[in-house]
Amino acid sequence: MKHFRTERVRATPKLFTYVLVGFIALLGLTCLYYGSSFAPGSRKSDEFDDVSDNRARTGSVTMTNRAAVLAVSRFEVPKSVPICDSRHSDLIPCLDRNLHYQLKLKLNLTLMEHYEHHCPPPERRFNCLVPPPTGYKIPLRWPVSRDEVWKANIPHTHLAQEKSDQNWMVVNGDKINFPGGGTHFHYGADKYIVSLAQMLKFPGDKLNNGGSIRNVLDVGCGVASFGAYLLSHDIIAMSLAPNDVHQNQIQFALERGIPSTLGVLGTKRLPYPSRSFELAHCSRCRIDWLQRDGILLLELDRLLRPGGYFVYSSPEAYAHDTENRKIGNAMHDLFKRMCWRVVAKRDQSVIWGKPISNSCYLKREAGVQPPLCPSGDDPDATWNVSMKACISPYSVRMHKERWSGLVPWPRRLTAPPPRLEEVGVTPEQFREDTETWRLRVIEYSKLLKPMVQKNSIRNVMDMSSNLGGFAAALNDKDVWVMNVMPVQSSPRMKIIYDRGLIGATHDWCEAFDTYPRTYDLIHAWNTVTETRIRGCSIEDLLIEMDRILRPEGFVIIRDTSDNISYIKKYLTLLKWDKWFTETTPNGDSLSTKDERVLIARKKLWSVPAISVS
């Protein structure tokens, strides 16, 4: 405006008005453009790379609160979703140690904090599609996948070299074979499992003991061969290991189709409720169980059910040198103060048993460590909750009955568990929920039938599992389900485990701690609605779902018609348009008035194919 003469402006007031209005409009559009481009959590492509660390910023798969943006752009869809740099085909956003270094997070390495869940801040969050590695193939089908996978899908062979004498895995041409061995059981997990059953004197050498042992926690699981061979015993294990120096061990386990997840016994409670497992297992898991007043053993104590077992196969349990004997004696003393007892000991393994009631705790002398947890402590609170160096006593009911009250597997899958009353659900409501999901899964199966081949679905995630009805309805299929309980419904996670299923608590405003391309099928019931209510980005949620979905995998999204219409606009952008169908489902006791089901299939794509086209 300063280039116009004052006299000219005065002589033409209309022109001044037009120019001023135009300038204000241009300024507003400019602010809107840059405000949306640089808003926290907005998408950025690789042109914004941080050159100083030579690390391409690969797009956020985590979510941030953008309620104001959502209110404006609810029906706006970007023209494209960028592709992450191919170097980051194994991106796990909240377990990205390079990001920890760049942000200079002060994490205690001794306490394993660097292996725990730390999500990027808003300014470091990007949204992009994680590409598969070069030469990626559709995974081999179960049960073949238990014993071999495509090398191209996980092109990391250092574990095969490092563990060559322990039968973890063997590179064989374009495949990687898994003989079933482990650091402690070189000659096979199957034989090792039988030996444990013999130690416990279970009938028929079956570790499930007539269905009374169903849920197992395998800590430091390697490539999860122990969990793989437990499946034939009708036992499901949550195979757990950190993204450490053996960083691809869980990725191999998941590629094999074995229930497993990333996690570490560090400073935070594991995302499982109390009294979830009948047996915990540590075979050469390299954990210092005596640190911080035994806090890691006390976390296992929280997770084990009355009378639960801890199988420990490690030099401290059997070696006779001075150092190992010292550690073993100290562990024995700690267990004694925790009221545990040695149930069996043979060769290189010892099995401890947890008490069945609070009686022993109440008989301990005053001041004995570790103490009982205070009455105000909730043993089922797990999301971002620090571990406690105390013993979680049983509830009044468990103490009185001296057991968990659960019937043997498989009856416990459909029998109302005793802890239902703790989440305000009646046995009648539980049964109705189970039947409703049985019918819903039948309806889903009919819709999927034209596209699903035999054994093409193995790894399944239910993003909002409620009481576990969806997973229960799939029990006759050769699949396993990761039941995810959103943080706002976390008390219900205990029902998942009481049914003999497995899962984890999670906040869907953040990325899930697993590798890309983990699941063949993802089920999302009202997850979009709940995410929107919490003010988090639906776009970020969809991109996170894409990250963990395998190529040619399926998503089943059950939500309002409004949300389904919005999601459909993303199908091509996410490359979920190999096949899709939409329908109005049959009404039931869980239905809302405005409900639709969208099923879509993800394409197998590669970076070169996209860049050429």
Side-chain angles (χ1 to χ4, degrees):
M1 298 299 293
K2 65 181 180 180
H3 297 293
F4 289 88
R5 296 180 184 273
T6 305
E7 294 79 9
R8 178 73 178 273
V9 173
R10 288 173 180 171
T12 56
K14 288 185 178 181
L15 178 60
F16 177 87
T17 303
Y18 294 152
V19 172
L20 182 61
V21 170
F23 178 78
I24 293 173
L26 178 62
L27 181 63
L29 290 172
T30 303
C31 293
L32 178 62
Y33 173 80
Y34 285 102
S36 62
S37 296
F38 295 102
S42 61
R43 295 183 296 109
K44 301 180 179 68
S45 65
D46 289 337
E47 64 181 325
F48 295 104
D49 286 356
D50 185 352
V51 179
S52 64
D53 56 49
N54 195 30
R55 177 178 172 80
R57 294 186 178 180
T58 57
S60 166
V61 261
T62 54
M63 283 64 80
T64 185
N65 189 323
R66 293 186 287 181
V69 176
L70 287 172
V72 175
S73 61
R74 183 175 182 183
F75 296 104
E76 294 178 7
V77 176
K79 293 182 179 179
S80 64
V81 178
I83 307 300
C84 300
D85 189 282
S86 59
R87 290 172 294 168
H88 306 294
S89 63
D90 291 341
L91 175 67
I92 310 171
C94 298
L95 295 177
D96 186 352
R97 289 199 296 281
N98 287 293
L99 182 67
H100 300 168
Y101 301 146
Q102 294 161 23
L103 297 178
K104 299 180 180 179
L105 300 182
K106 296 180 180 180
L107 304 176
N108 191 320
L109 305 187
T110 303
L111 303 185
M112 303 297 179
E113 281 188 303
H114 54 308
Y115 295 140
E116 294 184 321
H117 185 85
H118 301 285
C119 294
E123 65 271 15
R124 299 301 296 256
R125 296 177 179 179
F126 307 84
N127 295 339
C128 56
L129 303 182
V130 176
T134 302
Y136 181 87
K137 301 179 181 180
I138 300 303
L140 296 169
R141 297 178 183 177
W142 182 267
V144 173
S145 64
R146 187 196 72 173
D147 300 325
E148 61 181 23
V149 302
W150 296 116
K151 183 173 69 174
N153 291 7
I154 311 178
H156 308 288
T157 59
H158 63 279
L159 266 180
Q161 300 166 0
E162 182 180 344
K163 303 292 184 179
S164 59
D165 61 333
Q166 298 172 11
N167 282 328
W168 275 38
M169 48 193 281
V170 178
V171 178
N172 183 13
D174 61 352
K175 295 178 181 177
I176 296 177
N177 299 128
F178 299 88
T183 303
H184 184 73
F185 39 89
H186 301 180
Y187 301 107
D190 51 348
K191 298 180 179 62
Y192 174 65
I193 291 168
V194 169
S195 71
L196 296 179
Q198 292 173 341
M199 290 177 65
L200 292 167
K201 299 179 180 179
F202 288 164
D205 297 338
K206 296 291 185 181
L207 192 59
N208 69 355
N209 192 27
S212 63
I213 292 183
R214 166 63 180 174
N215 293 4
V216 167
L217 177 66
D218 187 15
V219 180
C221 64
V223 293
S225 289
F226 181 68
Y229 285 86
L230 283 175
L231 292 170
S232 62
H233 291 253
D234 274 339
I235 295 174
I236 189 165
M238 179 63 85
S239 297
L240 182 78
N243 187 24
D244 59 8
V245 292
H246 300 147
Q247 57 185 289
N248 299 101
Q249 54 191 337
I250 291 296
Q251 191 175 20
F252 282 116
L254 292 166
E255 184 76 9
R256 297 173 70 186
I258 302 169
S260 49
T261 191
L262 288 163
V264 66
L265 284 166
T267 66
K268 304 294 184 183
R269 282 178 172 175
L270 295 177
Y272 321 124
S274 67
R275 325 303 181 221
S276 293
F277 303 95
E278 283 89 17
L279 186 146
H281 175 256
C282 161
S283 172
R284 304 287 185 93
C285 57
R286 300 187 306 169
I287 292 175
D288 177 8
W289 295 106
L290 296 173
Q291 64 175 282
R292 292 174 285 159
D293 301 318
I295 195 169
L296 303 185
L297 277 176
L298 291 164
E299 174 66 357
L300 289 189
D301 181 88
R302 181 184 71 84
L303 294 171
L304 282 174
R305 290 182 171 138
Y309 300 103
F310 176 46
V311 178
Y312 188 56
S313 299
S314 189
E316 295 87 356
Y318 62 83
H320 297 292
D321 60 279
T322 303
E323 183 62 24
N324 280 314
R325 285 176 65 91
K326 180 180 178 181
I327 296 173
N329 290 336
M331 287 184 65
H332 183 83
D333 178 65
L334 175 58
F335 277 126
K336 185 177 181 180
R337 286 183 277 116
M338 291 170 57
C339 293
W340 290 30
R341 63 186 180 88
V342 175
V343 177
K345 187 173 183 179
R346 180 191 298 176
D347 299 329
Q348 299 181 356
S349 300
V350 60
I351 302 176
W352 275 283
K354 183 182 174 180
I356 58 176
S357 72
N358 296 330
S359 298
C360 175
Y361 306 145
L362 301 175
K363 294 177 182 178
R364 297 189 311 166
E365 295 181 3
V368 171
Q369 299 295 317
L372 293 182
C373 295
S375 58
D377 177 67
D378 180 2
D380 298 327
T382 61
W383 185 251
N384 203 28
V385 175
S386 297
M387 290 183 186
K388 309 281 197 311
C390 57
I391 299 171
S392 298
Y394 297 121
S395 66
V396 174
R397 183 192 59 79
M398 280 192 181
H399 169 65
K400 183 178 180 180
E401 297 181 1
R402 304 172 70 85
W403 71 305
S404 65
L406 300 174
V407 298
W409 177 267
R411 283 195 294 131
R412 72 172 59 171
L413 181 67
T414 54
R419 291 198 286 184
L420 270 180
E421 62 182 0
E422 296 180 21
V423 297
V425 176
T426 67
E428 292 73 23
Q429 291 171 326
F430 175 84
R431 294 188 186 97
E432 183 179 27
D433 182 88
T434 300
E435 176 61 15
T436 296
W437 280 107
R438 186 186 71 82
L439 296 175
R440 284 187 171 191
V441 167
I442 290 174
E443 189 176 8
Y444 292 160
S445 298
K446 290 178 180 178
L447 295 170
L448 283 165
K449 188 174 182 180
M451 300 303 300
V452 176
Q453 298 177 337
K454 184 179 180 181
N455 294 335
S456 60
I457 295 177
R458 172 61 183 171
N459 299 356
V460 177
M461 172 182 277
D462 189 6
M463 296 178 70
S464 302
S465 53
N466 193 32
L467 299 175
F470 175 75
L474 291 173
N475 186 55
D476 61 340
K477 312 295 183 184
D478 215 353
V479 304
W480 70 274
V481 180
M482 174 64 79
N483 292 278
V484 180
M485 192 66 66
V487 287
Q488 60 270 26
S489 305
S490 59
R492 296 193 171 204
M493 191 78 249
K494 67 186 73 171
I495 306 305
I496 301 297
Y497 278 91
D498 285 356
R499 299 186 76 162
L501 305 170
I502 61 171
T505 300
H506 181 65
D507 184 350
W508 281 118
C509 291
E510 300 179 355
F512 191 81
D513 288 342
T514 193
Y515 287 90
R517 304 170 299 280
T518 290
Y519 296 100
D520 302 295
L521 187 149
I522 298 176
H523 177 248
W525 172 48
N526 287 338
T527 308
V528 176
T529 291
E530 291 297 327
T531 301
R532 190 184 293 282
I533 289 173
R534 299 187 64 214
C536 300
S537 169
I538 304 307
E539 180 182 329
D540 292 354
L541 176 69
L542 295 174
I543 292 175
E544 169 64 358
M545 291 170 65
D546 177 79
R547 184 184 72 88
I548 64 179
L549 181 66
R550 285 175 169 173
E552 298 203 357
F554 296 89
V555 293
I556 303 176
I557 303 176
R558 191 183 194 108
D559 219 295
T560 65
S561 60
D562 201 19
N563 284 332
I564 294 297
S565 296
Y566 179 70
I567 293 166
K568 285 173 63 179
K569 298 177 181 180
Y570 277 89
L571 294 184
T572 300
L573 301 179
L574 296 170
K575 311 181 199 317
W576 289 3
D577 55 352
K578 178 167 184 175
W579 171 85
F580 64 90
T581 185
E582 181 187 0
T583 186
T584 299
N586 296 326
D588 55 47
S589 60
L590 299 177
S591 296
T592 59
K593 293 181 180 180
D594 180 27
E595 189 175 56
R596 299 283 287 172
V597 170
L598 173 67
I599 303 179
R601 190 174 195 182
K602 179 178 176 177
K603 289 179 178 177
L604 170 60
W605 56 273
S606 63
V607 173
I610 290 174
S611 61
V612 171
S613 62

